[in-house]
Amino acid sequence: VSKQMLEQVLRELQPLCTTEQQFIEKFFQLSRDTTELPVLGVSARTTSSPVPDGDLPHFIACFFFFLRLEEPTTRLMSEIFSCLELELRGFLDACNKVHPFGCLQVLVTLNDSIFEMWGSSSAPPSSFLNIVLGNMLLQAKSSFNKCIGTLCKEIEEAKMPSKMKGGVLPSVSRFEEFVNFSEEVFRTARRRGELDKAHLRLAGSVFSSINSLSSANLKVNTDMVMMENFHHIHCFLCQKKIPCLEDKKREAKQRYSEHMEKYVIKYLGQPLEKLNHFFEGVKARVAQGVKEEEVSFQLAYSKQELRKVIEKYPGKEVKRALETLYRKIHKYLSPEENLVLVVWHAMEQEFIHQYQEFEDLIQRCYAGSGIAMDFTMEDLLSYFNSITQSS
């Protein structure tokens, strides 16, 4: 509604101001050849051509400041329409308040209207109305930048809900809400340079917000929450296909993969915790210079100690421990992201790698002892397969 009203106001202002300016120039014989009017090295003729998006605020500021000082017609129009700029500022403020992101619609509408007028012979770039609208555009840009700054701060300082155990964070949802709304508003806009800058600022803020979780008092594993949220952002950006956020999309995928790996490794130690701890000690001794064939002569890593540890992990117990782990993953991972099977498959691959490493260390450091784990690789694969099928 505010967009339609603003467009209507601008449409009705154009013929009114243009007609009045033409009358003044004719009556007071003030018209002159504006094609010879230099403006900081840019002729008035060139101002009707497109201006690079990044240069627009500076260009408008210089151009309209010069005209305000030098153009007699502009001074007369300013006297006649002395309240116009004030009233427009108030109207734009009202439009901004209609929606939390109302300043986006104001910016797009003003931008499009000004460039439409600059392409119209009835409203040359030096017209009084374009000077006023240029000032309004600067105000709109200022409001937009303040809005983005406030939103960035809100995202960076967002607190974790006290009862939240996982899932999509409020800061991520807020970022997603803004992107969805802004992309719809700018869908037909002639320029989107300001929006691209805002997207990059906000993406930086939301990544910073997720990174700060490491020190937050979460009731669940921090890597799990970070994994889910970077995965959510990656999927969202894949869907939106915003060119300026391609690097952020790739970064989100990388961070999602990193935190899934950390999450998997942290939780994998639990089903075979004592075995894992024992073989970590074996690897440490070898790294310190103990020969592989002499490791079994170390009191803490003797063949007898290895047999004791292996006896704690019969096949049935390992399967039961994996079932418990799966239930825990299923309980805490949010259903919205649907990552249970992805994480479970990653855990299976890491578990197989861990098992192969244990087998290799037994062959190298306890050769000829006849010591072997109670379950085989085939048993391990069947455990994972049955758990997946029963889920």
Side-chain angles (χ1 to χ4, degrees):
V1 177
S2 61
K3 175 182 183 292
Q4 295 169 349
M5 290 179 63
L6 180 55
E7 287 176 342
Q8 183 179 350
V9 167
L10 295 175
R11 279 196 305 269
E12 294 184 4
L13 274 176
Q14 182 176 356
L16 176 65
C17 292
T18 302
T19 302
E20 186 66 25
Q21 179 166 335
Q22 288 172 348
F23 169 77
I24 289 174
E25 289 176 343
K26 183 177 181 180
F27 185 83
F28 292 103
Q29 298 181 352
L30 293 174
S31 60
R32 56 180 174 176
D33 186 4
T34 56
T35 60
E36 301 302 323
L37 183 65
V39 183
L40 297 181
V42 182
S43 70
R45 182 184 289 111
T46 62
T47 59
S48 60
S49 62
V51 180
D53 208 6
D55 298 335
L56 188 60
H58 177 260
F59 175 84
I60 289 175
C62 296
F63 181 63
F64 293 126
F65 177 73
F66 179 87
L67 286 175
R68 183 176 292 279
L69 290 178
E70 299 298 331
E71 180 60 67
T73 305
T74 302
R75 293 201 299 270
L76 280 173
M77 290 289 289
S78 297
E79 291 294 330
I80 296 170
F81 294 97
S82 59
C83 64
L84 178 59
E85 188 165 322
L86 183 62
E87 292 293 336
L88 274 177
R89 289 185 185 279
F91 181 61
L92 294 189
D93 285 340
C95 291
N96 288 338
K97 294 174 183 177
V98 171
H99 186 277
F101 301 139
C103 57
L104 277 74
Q105 190 66 75
V106 170
L107 180 61
V108 169
T109 304
L110 274 172
N111 245 328
D112 289 350
S113 296
I114 286 176
F115 281 99
E116 283 176 12
M117 290 180 188
W118 281 15
S120 170
S121 59
S122 62
S126 59
S127 75
F128 166 76
L129 179 59
N130 275 335
I131 296 170
V132 172
L133 293 183
N135 290 337
M136 294 305 99
L137 183 57
L138 292 177
Q139 178 184 330
K141 288 179 181 288
S142 177
S143 298
F144 176 78
N145 289 332
K146 286 179 182 177
C147 173
I148 299 305
T150 301
L151 186 57
C152 285
K153 186 176 181 182
E154 177 188 330
I155 288 174
E156 290 170 8
E157 297 178 356
K159 303 294 183 182
M160 279 288 297
S162 58
K163 296 182 180 180
M164 187 170 183
K165 295 182 178 180
V168 180
L169 296 167
S171 57
V172 175
S173 299
R174 191 71 169 135
F175 170 73
E176 187 174 347
E177 176 191 356
F178 175 85
V179 171
N180 281 329
F181 180 83
S182 62
E183 283 298 311
E184 180 60 29
V185 170
F186 277 77
R187 185 169 50 87
T188 58
R190 299 190 177 197
R191 296 173 177 275
R192 55 172 294 139
E194 296 292 328
L195 181 63
D196 287 343
K197 293 175 186 175
H199 279 341
L200 288 170
R201 282 184 65 188
L202 288 166
S205 292
V206 79
F207 276 47
S208 175
S209 174
I210 299 173
N211 291 336
S212 67
L213 288 176
S214 58
S215 58
N217 185 25
L218 295 174
K219 294 183 178 180
V220 290
N221 180 268
T222 303
D223 285 312
M224 184 198 78
V225 178
M226 298 174 86
M227 170 191 72
E228 286 194 316
N229 280 273
F230 279 119
H231 175 264
H232 184 86
I233 290 177
H234 176 256
C235 292
F236 174 69
L237 294 180
C238 285
Q239 174 194 357
K240 302 309 291 186
K241 298 179 181 178
I242 302 172
C244 72
L245 293 179
E246 280 297 307
D247 287 344
K248 287 297 182 182
K249 183 181 73 175
R250 285 189 286 269
E251 183 182 347
K253 183 178 182 180
Q254 179 184 347
R255 298 298 303 280
Y256 146 65
S257 300
E258 288 174 359
H259 288 290
M260 182 170 72
E261 183 179 350
K262 290 179 182 178
Y263 177 61
V264 166
I265 290 173
K266 180 170 182 177
Y267 276 81
L268 262 182
Q270 294 177 352
L272 304 175
E273 187 173 2
K274 290 183 173 62
L275 259 177
N276 190 61
H277 181 72
F278 182 89
F279 284 112
E280 284 296 326
V282 170
K283 287 191 290 184
R285 291 297 183 275
V286 173
Q288 290 168 4
V290 177
K291 294 181 179 180
E292 291 180 349
E293 61 271 19
E294 295 178 0
V295 170
S296 62
F297 296 106
Q298 300 274 319
L299 184 61
Y301 301 100
S302 65
K303 297 174 185 177
Q304 184 178 358
E305 289 299 318
L306 175 57
R307 288 192 180 95
K308 286 181 182 178
V309 176
I310 287 178
E311 286 173 2
K312 296 179 184 294
Y313 295 98
K316 291 182 179 179
E317 289 299 320
V318 171
K319 183 180 180 182
R320 189 177 295 115
L322 289 173
E323 288 171 343
T324 301
L325 179 61
Y326 181 85
R327 286 194 296 270
K328 189 173 184 180
I329 295 169
H330 196 276
K331 177 181 178 181
Y332 287 114
L333 284 176
S334 62
E336 295 84 4
E337 296 307 304
N338 197 28
L339 287 174
V340 173
L341 291 180
V342 176
V343 171
W344 185 243
H345 179 68
M347 284 194 163
E348 179 181 5
Q349 295 303 308
E350 187 62 31
F351 207 101
I352 289 171
H353 172 73
Q354 200 175 71
Y355 177 89
Q356 291 172 332
E357 186 178 42
F358 292 167
E359 286 274 277
D360 181 58
L361 286 169
I362 291 173
Q363 292 297 322
R364 285 159 45 199
C365 301
Y366 302 89
S369 65
I371 300 175
M373 285 183 279
D374 185 64
F375 54 95
T376 64
M377 175 68 76
E378 288 71 23
D379 293 332
L380 186 58
L381 291 172
S382 70
Y383 299 158
F384 275 98
N385 187 48
S386 63
I387 293 170
T388 302
Q389 290 181 348
S390 62
S391 61

